[in-house]
Amino acid sequence: MTVNTQPVTESPDDPRAFGLPLVDAHSLPAELRTLVSRVHDLVDAVANTEVDTDTLAETAATVEGLTDRLNVARRQIGAMVRRELGDGTTMVGTITNIVEGETNPAAPQLFLDRTDEGLRAEVTLNTIYQGPPGLVHGGWIAAMLDQAVGSVSAVETSPGLTANLEIDYRRPTPLFTPLEITSWVERVEGRKVFVAGRIRAHGQVTAEATALMIRVEADG
Ligand SMILES: CCCCCCCCCC(=O)SCCNC(=O)CCNC(=O)[C@H](O)C(C)(C)COP(=O)(O)OP(=O)(O)OC[C@H]1O[C@@H](n2cnc3c(N)ncnc32)[C@H](O)[C@@H]1OP(=O)(O)O
Protein backbone atom coordinates (compact mmCIF):
# COMPACT_ATOMS: atom_id res chain seq x y z
CA MET A 1 0.00 0.00 0.00
CA THR A 2 1.21 3.50 -0.81
CA VAL A 3 0.27 6.34 1.52
CA ASN A 4 -1.08 9.37 -0.30
CA THR A 5 1.27 12.23 0.59
CA GLN A 6 -1.18 14.94 -0.52
CA PRO A 7 -3.51 16.02 2.34
CA VAL A 8 -7.20 15.82 1.46
CA THR A 9 -8.32 17.98 4.41
CA GLU A 10 -6.99 21.25 5.82
CA SER A 11 -5.28 19.56 8.79
CA PRO A 12 -1.90 18.12 7.70
CA ASP A 13 -1.07 16.96 11.28
CA ASP A 14 -4.10 14.63 11.26
CA PRO A 15 -3.42 11.24 9.61
CA ARG A 16 -7.04 11.24 8.41
CA ALA A 17 -5.93 14.04 6.10
CA PHE A 18 -3.81 11.39 4.33
CA GLY A 19 -6.63 8.83 4.15
CA LEU A 20 -5.48 6.88 7.22
CA PRO A 21 -8.00 5.84 9.90
CA LEU A 22 -7.35 7.19 13.41
CA VAL A 23 -8.64 5.83 16.73
CA ASP A 24 -8.01 6.93 20.31
CA ALA A 25 -6.10 4.34 22.36
CA HIS A 26 -8.59 4.60 25.22
CA SER A 27 -11.44 3.72 22.87
CA LEU A 28 -9.99 0.30 22.00
CA PRO A 29 -12.22 -2.42 23.50
CA ALA A 30 -10.96 -4.12 26.66
CA GLU A 31 -11.68 -7.43 24.90
CA LEU A 32 -9.16 -6.54 22.17
CA ARG A 33 -6.48 -5.60 24.72
CA THR A 34 -7.10 -8.88 26.54
CA LEU A 35 -6.83 -10.85 23.27
CA VAL A 36 -3.53 -9.11 22.41
CA SER A 37 -2.17 -9.94 25.84
CA ARG A 38 -3.28 -13.59 25.64
CA VAL A 39 -1.70 -14.00 22.18
CA HIS A 40 1.50 -12.36 23.43
CA ASP A 41 1.60 -15.06 26.11
CA LEU A 42 0.76 -17.67 23.45
CA VAL A 43 3.77 -16.66 21.32
CA ASP A 44 6.00 -17.10 24.38
CA ALA A 45 4.41 -20.49 25.11
CA VAL A 46 4.86 -21.67 21.51
CA ALA A 47 8.45 -20.49 21.46
CA ASN A 48 9.27 -22.50 24.56
CA THR A 49 6.95 -25.53 24.59
CA GLU A 50 8.16 -29.13 24.68
CA VAL A 51 4.71 -30.79 24.66
CA ASP A 52 4.10 -33.97 22.62
CA THR A 53 3.41 -33.95 18.87
CA ASP A 54 -0.30 -34.76 19.21
CA THR A 55 -0.77 -31.69 21.37
CA LEU A 56 1.26 -29.60 18.91
CA ALA A 57 -0.87 -30.73 15.95
CA GLU A 58 -4.13 -30.17 17.82
CA THR A 59 -3.02 -26.71 18.94
CA ALA A 60 -1.93 -25.74 15.41
CA ALA A 61 -5.38 -26.67 14.04
CA THR A 62 -7.11 -24.68 16.78
CA VAL A 63 -4.92 -21.63 16.14
CA GLU A 64 -5.51 -21.88 12.38
CA GLY A 65 -9.27 -21.78 13.02
CA LEU A 66 -8.90 -18.75 15.29
CA THR A 67 -6.79 -16.97 12.66
CA ASP A 68 -9.46 -17.54 10.00
CA ARG A 69 -12.11 -16.23 12.41
CA LEU A 70 -10.22 -12.99 13.06
CA ASN A 71 -9.25 -12.40 9.43
CA VAL A 72 -12.87 -11.86 8.34
CA ALA A 73 -12.53 -8.21 9.40
CA ARG A 74 -9.09 -6.60 9.10
CA ARG A 75 -7.90 -3.05 9.72
CA GLN A 76 -6.54 -0.91 6.89
CA ILE A 77 -2.73 -0.98 6.61
CA GLY A 78 -1.40 2.24 8.13
CA ALA A 79 -4.27 2.56 10.63
CA MET A 80 -3.21 5.05 13.31
CA VAL A 81 -3.79 5.42 17.03
CA ARG A 82 -3.62 8.51 19.25
CA ARG A 83 -1.88 7.79 22.57
CA GLU A 84 -1.67 9.84 25.75
CA LEU A 85 1.81 10.49 27.11
CA GLY A 86 0.95 10.78 30.80
CA ASP A 87 1.14 14.58 30.94
CA GLY A 88 -2.03 15.41 29.00
CA THR A 89 -0.29 15.58 25.63
CA THR A 90 -0.80 13.00 22.90
CA MET A 91 1.07 11.50 19.98
CA VAL A 92 -0.02 9.52 16.96
CA GLY A 93 1.53 6.28 15.69
CA THR A 94 0.65 3.17 13.72
CA ILE A 95 -1.61 0.84 15.67
CA THR A 96 0.40 -2.31 14.74
CA ASN A 97 3.81 -0.67 15.42
CA ILE A 98 6.20 -3.54 16.18
CA VAL A 99 7.58 -1.84 19.30
CA GLU A 100 4.54 -0.19 20.88
CA GLY A 101 1.49 -1.01 18.78
CA GLU A 102 -1.56 -1.54 21.00
CA THR A 103 -2.98 -4.26 18.74
CA ASN A 104 0.31 -6.07 18.02
CA PRO A 105 0.84 -9.18 20.17
CA ALA A 106 4.46 -9.34 18.97
CA ALA A 107 5.20 -5.87 20.36
CA PRO A 108 6.78 -5.65 23.81
CA GLN A 109 4.27 -2.84 24.54
CA LEU A 110 6.74 -0.06 25.12
CA PHE A 111 4.56 2.76 26.48
CA LEU A 112 6.43 6.05 26.52
CA ASP A 113 5.64 8.77 29.07
CA ARG A 114 6.64 12.40 28.66
CA THR A 115 9.16 13.80 31.15
CA ASP A 116 10.91 17.15 31.59
CA GLU A 117 13.86 15.75 29.60
CA GLY A 118 11.95 13.94 26.84
CA LEU A 119 10.36 10.48 26.97
CA ARG A 120 10.69 7.51 29.32
CA ALA A 121 9.41 3.93 29.35
CA GLU A 122 9.86 0.79 31.42
CA VAL A 123 9.63 -2.63 29.87
CA THR A 124 10.53 -6.19 30.82
CA LEU A 125 11.28 -8.57 27.95
CA ASN A 126 10.76 -12.35 27.79
CA THR A 127 12.41 -14.96 25.54
CA ILE A 128 10.50 -13.78 22.46
CA TYR A 129 13.18 -11.06 22.25
CA GLN A 130 16.15 -13.30 23.03
CA GLY A 131 19.42 -13.09 21.14
CA PRO A 132 22.32 -14.55 23.14
CA PRO A 133 21.26 -16.85 26.01
CA GLY A 134 19.29 -14.85 28.57
CA LEU A 135 19.97 -11.58 26.75
CA VAL A 136 18.01 -9.20 24.54
CA HIS A 137 18.70 -9.41 20.78
CA GLY A 138 20.81 -6.48 19.56
CA GLY A 139 18.35 -5.72 16.78
CA TRP A 140 15.57 -5.36 19.32
CA ILE A 141 17.71 -3.03 21.39
CA ALA A 142 18.10 -0.92 18.23
CA ALA A 143 14.37 -1.16 17.47
CA MET A 144 13.36 0.04 20.94
CA LEU A 145 15.85 2.90 20.84
CA ASP A 146 14.74 3.84 17.29
CA GLN A 147 11.18 4.02 18.54
CA ALA A 148 12.15 6.06 21.60
CA VAL A 149 14.20 8.61 19.67
CA GLY A 150 11.71 8.77 16.78
CA SER A 151 8.87 9.38 19.18
CA VAL A 152 10.66 12.10 21.14
CA SER A 153 11.49 13.85 17.89
CA ALA A 154 7.83 13.66 16.85
CA VAL A 155 6.59 14.89 20.23
CA GLU A 156 9.10 17.70 20.69
CA THR A 157 9.11 18.85 17.02
CA SER A 158 7.03 17.05 14.35
CA PRO A 159 6.90 13.52 12.89
CA GLY A 160 9.82 12.34 10.76
CA LEU A 161 11.81 9.35 9.54
CA THR A 162 15.09 7.97 10.87
CA ALA A 163 17.89 8.87 8.44
CA ASN A 164 20.70 7.58 10.66
CA LEU A 165 20.81 5.51 13.84
CA GLU A 166 23.97 4.61 15.76
CA ILE A 167 23.95 2.18 18.69
CA ASP A 168 26.67 1.60 21.26
CA TYR A 169 26.16 -1.68 23.12
CA ARG A 170 27.84 -1.01 26.47
CA ARG A 171 26.79 -4.08 28.46
CA PRO A 172 24.59 -7.13 27.83
CA THR A 173 20.89 -6.25 28.18
CA PRO A 174 19.16 -8.93 30.28
CA LEU A 175 15.76 -10.58 29.76
CA PHE A 176 13.24 -10.73 32.64
CA THR A 177 14.65 -7.50 34.09
CA PRO A 178 12.94 -4.08 34.17
CA LEU A 179 14.60 -1.90 31.52
CA GLU A 180 14.38 1.89 31.64
CA ILE A 181 14.41 3.53 28.21
CA THR A 182 14.85 7.30 27.90
CA SER A 183 15.15 9.60 24.90
CA TRP A 184 15.62 13.29 24.33
CA VAL A 185 16.26 15.91 21.63
CA GLU A 186 19.83 17.23 21.43
CA ARG A 187 19.28 19.97 18.83
CA VAL A 188 17.16 20.94 15.84
CA GLU A 189 18.47 22.33 12.55
CA GLY A 190 15.53 22.96 10.21
CA ARG A 191 14.19 19.53 9.15
CA LYS A 192 17.08 17.76 10.93
CA VAL A 193 16.47 16.66 14.51
CA PHE A 194 19.46 15.24 16.40
CA VAL A 195 18.22 12.89 19.10
CA ALA A 196 19.66 10.46 21.65
CA GLY A 197 18.49 7.64 23.87
CA ARG A 198 19.62 5.16 26.47
CA ILE A 199 18.64 1.81 28.00
CA ARG A 200 19.41 1.06 31.63
CA ALA A 201 19.13 -2.19 33.59
CA HIS A 202 19.61 -2.10 37.37
CA GLY A 203 20.56 1.58 36.92
CA GLN A 204 23.47 0.72 34.62
CA VAL A 205 23.57 1.82 30.99
CA THR A 206 23.45 -1.18 28.63
CA ALA A 207 22.98 0.64 25.32
CA GLU A 208 23.07 4.18 23.96
CA ALA A 209 21.79 5.62 20.69
CA THR A 210 22.28 8.76 18.70
CA ALA A 211 20.13 9.39 15.65
CA LEU A 212 19.20 11.87 12.97
CA MET A 213 15.49 12.25 12.27
CA ILE A 214 14.33 14.12 9.16
CA ARG A 215 11.01 15.84 9.73
CA VAL A 216 8.37 15.22 7.10
CA GLU A 217 6.85 18.70 7.48
CA ALA A 218 9.31 21.50 6.56
CA ASP A 219 8.31 24.24 8.98
CA GLY A 220 11.64 24.76 10.73
C1 LIG B 1 4.32 9.02 13.65
C2 LIG B 1 5.25 9.42 14.78
C3 LIG B 1 5.95 8.26 15.43
C4 LIG B 1 7.39 8.24 15.08
C5 LIG B 1 8.09 7.04 15.68
C6 LIG B 1 8.79 6.28 14.63
C7 LIG B 1 9.92 5.49 15.19
C8 LIG B 1 10.48 4.57 14.14
C9 LIG B 1 11.25 5.37 13.12
C10 LIG B 1 11.50 4.55 11.90
O1 LIG B 1 11.68 3.35 11.98
S1 LIG B 1 11.52 5.37 10.40
C11 LIG B 1 11.82 4.02 9.24
C12 LIG B 1 13.29 3.91 8.89
N1 LIG B 1 13.70 5.08 8.10
C13 LIG B 1 13.41 5.17 6.80
O2 LIG B 1 12.80 4.32 6.19
C14 LIG B 1 13.89 6.43 6.11
C15 LIG B 1 14.41 6.15 4.69
N2 LIG B 1 15.06 7.39 4.15
C16 LIG B 1 14.31 8.35 3.57
O3 LIG B 1 13.10 8.21 3.36
C17 LIG B 1 15.00 9.62 3.23
O4 LIG B 1 16.39 9.40 3.08
C18 LIG B 1 14.77 10.73 4.31
C19 LIG B 1 13.27 11.05 4.39
C20 LIG B 1 15.30 10.30 5.67
C21 LIG B 1 15.51 11.99 3.88
O5 LIG B 1 15.15 12.25 2.55
P1 LIG B 1 14.76 13.73 2.10
O6 LIG B 1 14.78 13.73 0.60
O7 LIG B 1 13.51 14.17 2.75
O8 LIG B 1 15.90 14.67 2.69
P2 LIG B 1 17.37 14.93 2.09
O9 LIG B 1 17.98 13.71 1.48
O10 LIG B 1 17.27 16.17 1.24
O11 LIG B 1 18.19 15.27 3.42
C22 LIG B 1 17.78 16.34 4.28
C23 LIG B 1 18.99 16.71 5.10
O12 LIG B 1 19.35 15.57 5.92
C24 LIG B 1 20.68 15.14 5.63
N3 LIG B 1 20.70 13.67 5.66
C25 LIG B 1 19.83 12.83 5.07
N4 LIG B 1 20.15 11.55 5.32
C26 LIG B 1 21.26 11.61 6.10
C27 LIG B 1 22.08 10.61 6.71
N5 LIG B 1 21.81 9.31 6.57
N6 LIG B 1 23.14 11.02 7.43
C28 LIG B 1 23.40 12.34 7.60
N7 LIG B 1 22.65 13.33 7.06
C29 LIG B 1 21.61 12.96 6.31
C30 LIG B 1 20.94 15.64 4.21
O13 LIG B 1 22.33 15.80 3.97
C31 LIG B 1 20.23 16.99 4.25
O14 LIG B 1 21.02 17.91 4.97
P3 LIG B 1 21.04 19.47 4.60
O15 LIG B 1 19.62 19.96 4.74
O16 LIG B 1 21.97 20.09 5.60
O17 LIG B 1 21.56 19.54 3.17
Side-chain angles (χ1 to χ4, degrees):
M1 176 201 153
T2 302
V3 174
N4 177 16
T5 55
Q6 296 303 311
V8 293
T9 78
E10 293 181 356
S11 175
D13 290 340
D14 187 330
R16 288 170 296 195
F18 297 88
L20 299 173
L22 174 68
V23 297
D24 280 312
H26 63 73
S27 74
L28 292 172
E31 292 83 355
L32 178 56
R33 290 184 180 279
T34 301
L35 175 62
V36 170
S37 175
R38 296 290 180 271
V39 176
H40 186 84
D41 293 345
L42 175 66
V43 174
D44 176 64
V46 170
N48 289 285
T49 189
E50 291 188 314
V51 297
D52 61 81
T53 53
D54 283 351
T55 307
L56 291 175
E58 194 182 309
T59 307
T62 303
V63 171
E64 186 180 10
L66 296 173
T67 303
D68 291 344
R69 204 167 155 191
L70 295 174
N71 270 335
V72 298
R74 294 180 61 92
R75 283 184 203 278
Q76 179 180 326
I77 296 173
M80 308 293 281
V81 62
R82 184 186 286 120
R83 312 183 170 101
E84 294 182 2
L85 294 170
D87 70 339
T89 59
T90 59
M91 73 167 291
V92 167
T94 47
I95 202 164
T96 73
N97 181 294
I98 186 60
V99 179
E100 63 178 5
E102 281 82 350
T103 64
N104 190 341
Q109 303 290 345
L110 186 75
F111 295 122
L112 292 156
D113 281 328
R114 202 161 184 189
T115 66
D116 289 344
E117 292 75 35
L119 293 175
R120 178 185 182 280
E122 271 191 23
V123 68
T124 300
L125 301 182
N126 61 18
T127 59
I128 298 173
Y129 311 98
Q130 184 168 231
L135 303 176
V136 181
H137 193 289
W140 264 99
I141 290 169
M144 293 191 298
L145 284 166
D146 187 24
Q147 186 66 39
V149 297
S151 294
V152 79
S153 180
V155 168
E156 302 284 343
T157 65
S158 62
L161 293 174
T162 314
N164 179 268
L165 174 69
E166 191 171 314
I167 309 289
D168 288 309
Y169 297 94
R170 302 291 186 196
R171 290 182 183 81
T173 301
L175 299 174
F176 301 110
T177 302
L179 304 176
E180 181 190 42
I181 302 170
T182 51
S183 60
W184 60 92
V185 173
E186 300 269 16
R187 66 183 195 282
V188 181
E189 295 174 10
R191 291 179 62 213
K192 297 194 281 191
V193 187
F194 295 85
V195 286
R198 193 175 279 148
I199 298 180
R200 286 192 187 83
H202 301 301
Q204 290 196 306
V205 175
T206 66
E208 293 176 296
T210 54
L212 169 63
M213 307 298 299
I214 305 295
R215 296 157 71 191
V216 177
E217 294 293 327
D219 63 353

